[in-house]
Amino acid sequence: MGKTALISGTSRGLGIALVEIYLRSGWSVFAGARDISGPNLKALKETYKDALTLVEMDISSTESVKAAAKLIKESAPTLNVIINNAATSDREGAKPIEEMDVDACLRVYNVNALGALRVIQAFLDYAGEGGLSVIANISSEAGSMENCHRDSGMDYAMSKAALNMGSVLVQRRLKDKKMKILSIHPGWVQSRPAPPKADFEPLEAALNIYNTINSFDGTVEGPVFINHDGNPMAF
């Protein structure tokens, strides 16, 4: 099958762009999404045929992730890269603390922070001889406490900070398996919720991430939270 990647959150934006970049580069891709019937995924499936497998996977649900893992394990003896891209936000999180519904943030935290952990846990069988060498969690500068300039967006920013911490803890736990965990800020991407004036088109951002992941040389030491170009980000 050659090199194989699993990517979540692939129905649009950066996710579908990551799928396309990996397919263009000769990889086989498992594209995970809550809804795999969308036009973007269908178009890539028509072009790349058997190199692309569409997998229904809702990372907010442990059972959904386990079902996706079972399907993938039945067809793929190796899995080389996992990219946890799926994320969400809520309008309530954009409100000031005086007005927001704090409980509405739980859904965002469940997806953005815990979702990646569900995926990692479900696919640990691929560690070692299973070929898994890099797990990349798509984070954000919003999760950097040192560089924070915000006073709202608490659901998204706090969930990304939690994702960064989870990435560090998982890296420490799995370093003996020679797996590198990365928490990557993709830059400001022209994809919802970022506006068209953002710095990177989705395919450009996806290529940056692809090149950064491919630069992994087997050394698990070094920074976990990094920019799209591989440079360290401040926590």
Side-chain angles (χ1 to χ4, degrees):
M1 181 178 278
K3 289 188 175 182
T4 306
L6 165 64
I7 305 171
S8 73
T10 58
S11 60
R12 59 179 175 82
L14 180 59
I16 194 70
L18 283 164
V19 172
E20 184 170 351
I21 289 295
Y22 272 83
L23 289 169
R24 284 184 187 179
S25 302
W27 288 57
S28 294
V29 176
F30 290 96
R34 287 184 303 167
D35 180 6
I36 59 175
S37 64
N40 295 325
L41 287 172
K42 281 186 174 180
L44 285 183
K45 181 65 176 176
E46 290 176 2
T47 300
Y48 290 95
K49 312 299 183 188
D50 292 343
L52 175 60
T53 302
L54 307 183
V55 182
E56 186 175 324
M57 186 171 71
D58 178 359
I59 67 166
S60 71
S61 163
T62 299
E63 291 308 311
S64 177
V65 173
K66 285 182 176 179
K70 183 176 184 295
L71 184 152
I72 291 172
K73 291 173 185 177
E74 288 172 352
S75 60
T78 60
L79 186 63
N80 305 102
V81 168
I82 293 175
I83 302 178
N84 286 308
N85 170 72
T88 190
S89 60
D90 193 281
R91 290 180 180 178
E92 286 297 320
K95 294 179 180 179
I97 184 62
E98 297 91 343
E99 302 173 11
M100 67 181 293
D101 177 0
V102 174
D103 289 339
C105 296
L106 291 173
R107 180 183 67 88
V108 176
Y109 187 90
N110 184 37
V111 172
N112 294 3
L114 302 183
L117 295 185
R118 290 187 181 95
V119 174
I120 293 170
Q121 185 181 62
F123 289 91
L124 278 180
D125 292 350
Y126 283 106
E129 294 183 2
L132 186 59
S133 59
V134 178
I135 298 174
N137 300 323
I138 302 303
S139 185
S140 171
E141 52 77 30
S144 170
M145 288 178 277
E146 183 172 332
N147 293 328
C148 180
H149 61 276
R150 306 162 188 256
D151 61 6
S152 63
M154 295 183 185
D155 58 342
Y156 187 78
M158 291 173 69
S159 68
K160 290 299 186 179
L163 176 64
N164 292 341
M165 177 56 79
S167 300
V168 170
L169 296 175
V170 173
Q171 175 66 95
R172 290 176 179 171
R173 181 69 180 176
L174 299 182
K175 65 179 182 179
D176 290 342
K177 297 181 181 293
K178 305 302 181 185
M179 284 172 45
K180 181 63 177 175
I181 314 298
L182 295 171
S183 197
I184 302 177
H185 167 48
W188 198 18
V189 183
Q190 297 172 13
S191 176
R192 198 174 67 190
K197 66 179 182 180
D199 296 330
F200 298 109
E201 294 181 355
L203 281 173
E204 183 182 9
L207 181 59
N208 290 337
I209 292 169
Y210 175 83
N211 289 334
T212 294
I213 292 174
N214 275 3
S215 68
F216 172 65
D217 61 2
T219 302
V220 298
E221 304 299 334
V224 170
F225 186 26
I226 61 172
N227 204 346
H228 54 83
D229 57 9
N231 289 317
M233 293 280 291
F235 284 94

